[in-house]
Amino acid sequence: MAGSTTGGNGSSTPLPTPSAPKILLAKPGLVTSGPTVGKYGRSEDETVPHRSRIPAISSLNLLSESWEFHIDRFLPFLTENTDFIVVGVIGPSGVGKSTIMNELYGFDSTSPGMLPPFTVQTEDNRAMARHCSVGIEPRISADRLILLDTQPVFSPSILAEMMRPDGSSTISVLSGENLSAELAHEVMAIQLGVLLASVCHIVLVVSDGLHDDSMWQLMLTVDLLKHGIPDPSSLTSSHSQTSNAGPEKEMKERTFDSKEYMATPVFVHTKFQDQHFSPLNLVQLKEGLAQYFSSSSFVRERCGNVGKEEIDSVASNQTNNLHSAPLNLFLIPDKNSDDLSKAQRESYISAIWKLRDQVLAMNCPSFAKTVSERDWLKNSAKIWELVKNSSIIAEYSRVLQNSGMFRR
C-alpha cells in the first residue's frame, strides 16, 4: 500500500513523505536510477557518485544574481549531440515569457502532480511587484530544444534589489566600471540581449500590448552594440580549451564567418485587447516594425516557413492579406478576455499553440560551424566574458552617463 511498507515481522512503518515531482531537463537516463546505455551502447550502472553530480533543479541558473556565468550546474544535462536548437526569450515582467517557454517545452498543464519547467508569475508576486526569474534559467527538452528563460528587463523589482542606499549598483555589470544602479540596470538589459543574439538560434522578443515599443528600442541597441561578438561555434578550439585567457587575447584567438552572426528575432505582442484587433492597428504595427528594423542586422537573413516578404501572425482572418513586413510578428490576445462570442480572432490558447508550432517549424540559419551541446555551453560562457568586457558597450555606457539621464 502506498505510504507504508511491511517488514518481515508483519509490522508497518511509514515511508518518508514523497518529494516534489522532478522536472525533465535532459534524457531520462541522466536523472533516473538503474542502468543506462552508454555512448557506445554499453550498459553503465548509474552509481551513487554519478547521481550526486546531477545538480538540484533550483541551482541550474546559467547567469547568477551576481551577473556571473556558471556552466558546471547545467553541463551534466548536455551531450555531444550537434542537432539542437537554442531559443531564448527577453521582455519585461509579467508579459508571459515563462508561459510561452513552457509551451515550447511541451509542458502539459493538465497532467496532475507535474510542475512547469519555468515558474510563471503568480498573483501574489504581481501584487508585491516581484519577479520570479533570475538571471538565465535553462531547460532542455527531450527533443534537444535548449530553452533560455531570462529575468525581466526594465524591472523595478530588480532595480530595487541591486541599488545601494547611495544609489550605486551592487552588481558589477562592466568589468572595472563603478556605475549607478539605474545605469547598471540599463546595461544589464543590453548585455542580456547581446548574449541571446549571439548564442541563440531564435530570440523571442516579448512586448506588452499594442503601444509598448521599449523592446523594439532595446533590440535596435543590441544590433548597434553586438559587433565583435561571435557565435559559440566561431571560437577556435584553442580558445575553448583556454579558460584563463584575457578578453584581448580571446578576441585575437577567434575565427569569424564571412558574415557576423545574429539570432533570428520573433516579435511577440501579448495581452492584446479585442479592440486592438483592427485592420488599421495591425497595418500600423507591421509598418512600424518594418521601419524600425529596415536597416538592422535582423532583416539581412531570416528563418521560418515563409518567404522574406511575408510575416507570421496569429491575428484575425481579416488581416491575412497584410503579410508585408520582413520580420516574424505574433499577436497574442489577453488571457483574461477570451469571450469569442464577439471577438473575431483566435483564442489565447490557440494563439499560444500556433506560436509554438511556428517557432518549432522554423528552419533557421545555423551557427558558422558545427558545435555540440556541451561545447555550445562552454563557449557561451566565453562569449559572456566578451560581452561584459566589450569596449563598445562600455563606451555606450559612458555616453549614457555623460548624457545626464542617469544618476552618477
Side-chain angles (χ1 to χ4, degrees):
M1 179 180 294
S4 66
T5 181
T6 304
N9 57 2
S11 62
S12 297
T13 57
L15 287 176
T17 302
S19 59
K22 293 183 178 180
I23 301 173
L24 177 65
L25 293 169
K27 291 183 177 180
L30 286 177
V31 295
T32 59
S33 59
T36 59
V37 178
K39 182 177 180 180
Y40 300 102
R42 297 190 296 268
S43 177
E44 300 174 349
D45 288 332
E46 186 184 19
T47 61
V48 172
H50 174 75
R51 289 197 299 271
S52 66
R53 293 200 302 268
I54 304 301
I57 290 173
S58 59
S59 65
L60 286 171
N61 289 42
L62 296 182
L63 202 56
S64 67
E65 292 180 344
S66 60
W67 221 229
E68 298 296 329
F69 206 94
H70 302 280
I71 67 172
D72 293 340
R73 302 165 182 173
F74 190 57
L75 192 61
F77 294 102
L78 301 183
T79 70
E80 296 300 325
N81 168 55
T82 60
D83 186 15
F84 64 95
I85 297 294
V86 185
V87 181
V89 65
I90 189 170
S93 180
V95 294
K97 300 186 301 297
S98 299
T99 300
I100 293 172
M101 297 301 269
N102 285 333
E103 198 64 37
L104 289 176
Y105 182 90
F107 172 69
D108 184 4
S109 60
T110 62
S111 298
M114 292 299 294
L115 296 176
F118 299 102
T119 304
V120 297
Q121 183 78 294
T122 64
E123 290 299 329
D124 289 342
N125 277 349
R126 189 175 292 107
M128 296 297 293
R130 294 190 300 233
H131 56 280
C132 57
S133 298
V134 177
I136 296 179
E137 299 182 5
R139 301 291 185 267
I140 181 165
S141 72
D143 296 327
R144 314 320 289 173
L145 185 70
I146 300 176
L147 301 171
L148 304 180
D149 192 11
T150 63
Q151 69 181 35
V153 296
F154 313 133
S155 169
S157 59
I158 291 180
L159 176 59
E161 290 179 356
M162 62 187 291
M163 181 179 291
R164 291 193 178 100
D166 64 355
S168 63
S169 172
T170 61
I171 302 175
S172 177
V173 297
L174 294 173
S175 299
E177 296 278 350
N178 185 20
L179 305 178
S180 69
E182 293 175 348
L183 180 55
H185 185 235
E186 184 81 10
V187 173
M188 287 173 72
I190 295 170
Q191 290 177 328
L192 203 55
V194 169
L195 178 67
L196 293 182
S198 302
V199 306
C200 296
H201 296 97
I202 301 170
V203 176
L204 303 179
V205 183
V206 188
S207 300
D208 187 354
L210 172 65
H211 303 292
D212 178 23
D213 64 352
S214 60
M215 294 307 302
W216 294 11
Q217 297 176 24
L218 174 61
M219 296 311 292
L220 273 184
T221 306
V222 167
D223 180 53
L224 175 68
L225 304 181
K226 182 189 175 296
H227 300 294
I229 307 296
D231 73 74
S233 72
S234 297
L235 304 179
T236 63
S237 59
S238 60
H239 173 277
S240 61
Q241 296 171 0
T242 305
S243 59
N244 296 324
E248 294 183 0
K249 183 177 180 181
E250 289 177 343
M251 292 287 285
K252 295 178 181 179
E253 288 179 340
R254 295 201 307 259
T255 57
F256 295 93
D257 192 11
S258 58
K259 184 179 295 184
E260 188 171 68
Y261 178 81
M262 181 71 76
T264 298
V266 176
F267 293 90
V268 183
H269 282 251
T270 62
K271 300 183 179 180
F272 248 61
Q273 304 298 320
D274 291 343
Q275 64 269 24
H276 294 160
F277 284 94
S278 67
L280 178 60
N281 282 340
L282 296 177
V283 168
Q284 292 177 342
L285 188 62
K286 293 173 183 179
E287 289 180 348
L289 185 67
Q291 292 175 4
Y292 247 87
F293 297 98
S294 60
S295 59
S296 71
S297 302
F298 296 126
V299 296
R300 294 174 188 170
E301 286 186 20
R302 59 167 298 231
C303 67
N305 301 325
V306 294
K308 182 176 178 61
E309 296 305 319
E310 295 178 319
I311 189 168
D312 297 312
S313 174
V314 292
S316 64
N317 294 332
Q318 296 176 345
T319 61
N320 286 340
N321 62 338
L322 300 177
H323 300 309
S324 59
L327 293 167
N328 291 293
L329 172 66
F330 289 88
L331 308 181
I332 308 296
D334 184 39
K335 187 176 183 179
N336 298 320
S337 62
D338 259 357
D339 181 9
L340 296 182
S341 59
K342 299 181 180 180
Q344 299 298 314
R345 57 166 176 78
E346 292 179 293
S347 68
Y348 169 82
I349 295 298
S350 177
I352 289 287
W353 286 351
K354 184 169 290 187
L355 170 62
R356 175 182 182 271
D357 291 342
Q358 293 291 335
V359 170
L360 294 181
M362 285 181 175
N363 183 22
C364 297
S366 60
F367 296 134
K369 301 177 183 178
T370 301
V371 64
S372 69
E373 294 171 359
R374 294 175 67 87
D375 284 340
W376 166 83
L377 180 60
K378 294 174 184 178
N379 289 346
S380 293
K382 297 290 184 180
I383 289 175
W384 177 244
E385 291 303 313
L386 295 176
V387 172
K388 289 188 67 175
N389 290 280
S390 168
S391 59
I392 299 177
I393 297 179
E395 180 61 28
Y396 183 78
S397 173
R398 285 189 285 270
V399 171
L400 291 179
Q401 191 167 36
N402 293 333
S403 69
M405 296 172 57
F406 298 92
R407 186 187 311 180
R408 293 182 179 273

